[in-house]
């Protein structure tokens, strides 16, 4: 609701500000144990605040638990990165290619061919 009514590019959850800060929210993309702290900030006022520790947020824990439950049947996981209007494949904190990079790029390209932005133009960056 907050991103619809107040700040379309709000990228963090709405967790109350930690003691000693006036800045709310944790960047959930940076709250996972894998890659925790890389490309993130310890300052709660930062857009990329990682939170007090990995998996500290209920949203993160819910996704981790879902992944654990579906581990043997989960084929694909997509996290739409609306803030940058980008498709990040497969990690945001590593630069080297993964084993199935060509397949991931093909899926991303096909998805971008189908996406129409609600603001009157195609996805601006056309990144994948």
């Amino acid at each position: 609701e907050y991103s619809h009514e107040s700040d379309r590019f709000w990228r963090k959850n709405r967790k109350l500000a930690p003691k000693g800060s006036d800045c709310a929210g944790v960047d959930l993309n940076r709250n996972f144990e894998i890659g925790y702290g890389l490309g993130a900030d310890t300052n709660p006022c930062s857009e990329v605040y990682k939170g007090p520790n990995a998996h500290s947020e209920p949203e993160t824990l819910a996704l981790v638990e879902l992944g654990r439950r579906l581990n043997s049947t989960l084929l694909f996981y997509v996290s739409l990165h609306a803030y940058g209007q980008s498709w990040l494949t497969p990690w945001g904190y590593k630069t080297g290619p993964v084993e199935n990079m060509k397949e991931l790029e093909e899926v991303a390209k096909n998805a971008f061919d189908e996406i129409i932005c609600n603001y009157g133009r195609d996805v601006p960056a056309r990144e994948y």
Side-chain angles (χ1 to χ4, degrees), residues 7-128:
D7 182 353
R8 180 171 120 52
F9 289 112
W10 182 261
R11 64 179 292 138
K12 302 192 288 183
N13 68 2
R14 296 295 298 152
K15 182 178 187 170
L16 296 176
K19 191 172 185 174
S21 176
D22 293 328
C23 302
V26 169
D27 181 351
L28 298 172
N29 291 318
R30 289 170 173 72
N31 190 243
F32 289 89
E33 182 177 45
I34 187 166
Y36 183 72
L38 299 172
D41 202 325
T42 58
N43 179 352
C45 294
S46 170
E47 292 280 319
V48 292
Y49 173 54
K50 64 183 183 174
N53 54 279
H55 300 173
S56 62
E57 305 309 299
E59 300 93 335
T60 307
L61 280 174
L63 286 172
V64 168
E65 288 305 315
L66 179 63
R68 284 184 183 137
R69 278 198 321 270
L70 298 176
N71 189 36
S72 64
T73 58
L74 188 65
L75 299 175
F76 194 88
Y77 173 81
V78 174
S79 176
L80 297 176
H81 201 266
Y83 179 83
Q85 298 185 26
S86 300
W87 183 300
L88 305 178
T89 305
W91 312 106
Y93 71 94
K94 289 184 178 182
T95 57
V98 294
E99 187 177 305
N100 64 339
M101 193 66 185
K102 286 191 183 288
E103 182 181 6
L104 293 172
E105 286 178 343
E106 184 178 336
V107 169
K109 286 177 185 177
N110 289 338
F112 268 84
D113 287 344
E114 300 298 326
I115 294 173
I116 297 174
C117 183
N118 286 331
Y119 294 91
R121 61 189 186 281
D122 287 342
V123 177
R126 303 295 295 180
E127 293 179 59
Y128 48 83

